[in-house]
Amino acid sequence: MEGTVTCGSWIRRPENANLVVLGKSRRSGYSSPSSLEIFAFDPKSTSLSSSPLVAHVIEEIEGDPLAITVHPNGEDIVCFASSGSCLSFELSAQESDLKLLIKELPTLRGIGPQKCMAFSVDGSRFATGGVDGRLRILEWPSLRIILDEPKAHKSIRDLDFSLDSEFLASTSTDGSARIWKAEDGLPCTTLNRRPDEKIELCRFSKDGTKPFLFCTVQKGDKAVTAVWDISTWNKIGHKRLLRKPAVVMSISLDGKYLAQGSKDGDMCVIEVKKMEVSHWSKRLHLGTSLTSLEFCPSERVVLTTSDEWGVLVTKLSVPADWKAWQVYLLLLGMFLASLVAFYIFYENSDSFWSFPLGKDQPVRSKIDSVLGDPKSADDQNMWGEFGPLDM
């Protein structure tokens, strides 16, 4: 691939036909321009297509792409470039033909260099964090400004929306972290930390059961992952996982796994339920800091990028998830097993009609016992009262 890959992200598409968008910068000594390129992903081979499905050349005046984020609908793509400009595209799919259509975002025009950006889980909010410490929260797609705080932080390092899109967490290069209400932009709280602690990266839990905020924290010369309870915003504990400073962090769409990448190219994946490392990829991008790290929306696969090694797609060595057809097959098996068990129980149990008969009680067949005697007094009274039915 010509050009240097600077960033990347997954694009969710119908029927789990996921795509990958990559940002590429100009490479010195080569004539290739900066661009955005979209590749197909093959889950069977865990690889990207050899050539892009569609590409857009970024004008030289715009600079190189530094960060990309994709709307949950899989159609809107936002990219920030080194010139401080914001580029927005709509991915149009007509049958098998993909097109990148340029969209104008007047509110974000010329806002300056941005460190990070994110869409809310429900897609109704868009947030950007500037190198200058300015935090913006906008309504999407109207771009109505909810918050424009020029002094939110010294310089914003990371941000993330909660699962219910109610809160936005932001961290600063000075080690502080703040929580904001995404609906109106009001500050909610500042996370407590010790003087020797620096909060760096943040991700909310996404499994819908554990209301936590995960943050990487530098405690002196030790790197740990700390957890805050978002119902009280109290810190409930920390654990050493990556065992070195993380430069990127991501959480899977279902919230089961948390991934961290280091500045020397290592990556670890943590099972959230146990808070234990379940996958290691040491020297994945040997000696180079990871610039992107993101879970595939539908597979246990991770996308990583770095300036030196470009893009890599890694299949995780974690237990396989149950597929829908496997669940249905299990339920069918359980149903059939219950039928067999019921039949065996019925065949081997004493019948209600097999009780010992009285000494002078006449023997009646089982069918007569069930249906009753048609000449019995009760039956005669019933027919006599209502008369015979006209069929």
Side-chain angles (χ1 to χ4, degrees):
M1 298 181 181
E2 292 187 358
T4 301
V5 177
T6 56
C7 50
S9 181
W10 292 96
I11 301 176
R12 274 183 269 174
R13 302 300 294 172
E15 300 179 357
N16 294 330
N18 300 300
L19 305 174
V20 169
V21 56
L22 299 177
K24 294 183 179 181
S25 65
R26 294 170 178 82
R27 177 182 283 183
S28 58
Y30 292 81
S31 59
S32 58
S34 298
S35 63
L36 283 186
E37 298 179 2
I38 294 179
F39 294 81
F41 169 69
D42 182 7
K44 293 183 179 179
S45 61
T46 316
S47 62
L48 303 182
S49 56
S50 57
S51 58
L53 303 177
V54 62
H56 174 82
V57 175
I58 299 175
E59 296 181 7
E60 187 172 355
I61 192 174
E62 303 288 0
D64 297 327
L66 298 181
I68 297 176
T69 190
V70 181
H71 192 277
N73 64 13
E75 297 178 356
D76 297 324
I77 301 172
V78 180
C79 169
F80 279 112
S82 56
S83 64
S85 59
C86 174
L87 309 176
S88 179
F89 304 89
E90 180 182 348
L91 182 62
S92 174
Q94 298 179 352
E95 296 181 354
S96 59
D97 185 26
L98 293 178
K99 292 183 179 179
L100 277 175
L101 307 177
I102 299 177
K103 292 180 64 176
E104 292 294 331
L105 301 179
T107 309
L108 298 176
R109 185 179 298 144
I111 63 175
Q114 302 297 298
K115 178 64 177 178
C116 50
M117 56 183 171
F119 282 104
S120 61
V121 177
D122 64 3
S124 65
R125 301 287 186 269
F126 177 69
T128 68
V131 175
D132 59 359
R134 191 166 197 154
L135 178 66
R136 294 175 174 86
I137 303 177
L138 295 90
E139 190 178 76
W140 192 272
S142 68
L143 297 182
R144 179 181 68 85
I145 298 176
I146 298 174
L147 173 68
D148 187 356
E149 177 52 65
K151 297 181 179 180
H153 292 285
K154 180 180 180 181
S155 180
I156 296 178
R157 175 157 188 176
D158 197 17
L159 51 81
D160 190 46
F161 282 97
S162 61
L163 177 63
D164 57 6
S165 303
E166 182 179 358
F167 300 107
L168 174 72
S170 61
T171 64
S172 172
T173 54
D174 63 9
S176 63
R178 301 182 69 180
I179 309 298
W180 312 79
K181 295 280 286 185
E183 183 179 2
D184 51 22
L186 294 176
C188 184
T189 188
T190 299
L191 297 185
N192 293 325
R193 61 188 177 101
R194 295 179 179 178
D196 64 336
E197 293 180 338
K198 292 185 66 176
I199 302 172
E200 298 182 331
L201 305 175
C202 60
R203 286 296 179 272
F204 281 97
S205 59
K206 296 292 193 296
D207 63 358
T209 60
K210 304 176 181 65
F212 298 147
L213 174 65
F214 303 101
C215 295
T216 59
V217 179
Q218 193 69 26
K219 293 171 60 71
D221 59 349
K222 294 182 180 180
V224 301
T225 301
V227 183
W228 276 262
D229 184 342
I230 71 174
S231 61
T232 61
W233 300 114
N234 291 328
K235 183 179 175 182
I236 60 177
H238 66 268
K239 193 170 185 179
R240 295 192 70 186
L241 297 168
L242 184 61
R243 295 185 175 274
K244 59 181 68 176
V247 292
V248 285
M249 184 163 65
S250 178
I251 193 163
S252 62
L253 198 62
D254 59 6
K256 292 183 179 180
Y257 294 97
L258 184 73
Q260 298 176 354
S262 70
K263 61 182 179 182
D264 56 2
D266 289 356
M267 180 192 71
C268 77
V269 176
I270 301 105
E271 185 179 352
V272 171
K273 187 176 181 180
K274 300 178 181 178
M275 284 306 287
E276 295 178 354
V277 175
S278 58
H279 175 94
W280 270 105
S281 288
K282 294 188 176 182
R283 298 180 291 277
L284 182 65
H285 291 254
L286 182 59
T288 306
S289 180
L290 298 183
T291 54
S292 300
L293 170 64
E294 190 173 317
F295 284 91
C296 177
S298 60
E299 306 286 336
R300 293 304 180 201
V301 172
V302 168
L303 176 78
T304 53
T305 65
S306 67
D307 294 341
E308 182 67 25
W309 299 100
V311 58
L312 292 176
V313 181
T314 306
K315 188 173 184 178
L316 302 179
S317 56
V318 298
D321 293 320
W322 283 78
K323 303 295 184 181
W325 67 269
Q326 292 174 317
V327 175
Y328 293 140
L329 184 62
L330 176 63
L331 294 176
L332 177 61
M334 294 173 63
F335 176 72
L336 294 176
S338 64
L339 289 180
V340 172
F342 176 79
Y343 177 77
I344 294 174
F345 175 79
Y346 174 78
E347 287 294 321
N348 291 277
S349 61
D350 291 333
S351 173
F352 174 80
W353 311 110
S354 298
F355 284 111
L357 297 174
K359 185 175 181 179
D360 299 324
Q361 184 176 350
V363 178
R364 301 175 64 191
S365 66
K366 293 182 179 179
I367 189 64
D368 288 341
S369 302
V370 174
L371 298 178
D373 186 353
K375 295 183 179 180
S376 65
D378 290 341
D379 289 344
Q380 290 174 358
N381 291 340
M382 179 183 71
W383 291 110
E385 181 179 357
F386 292 99
L389 294 178
D390 185 9
M391 301 300 291

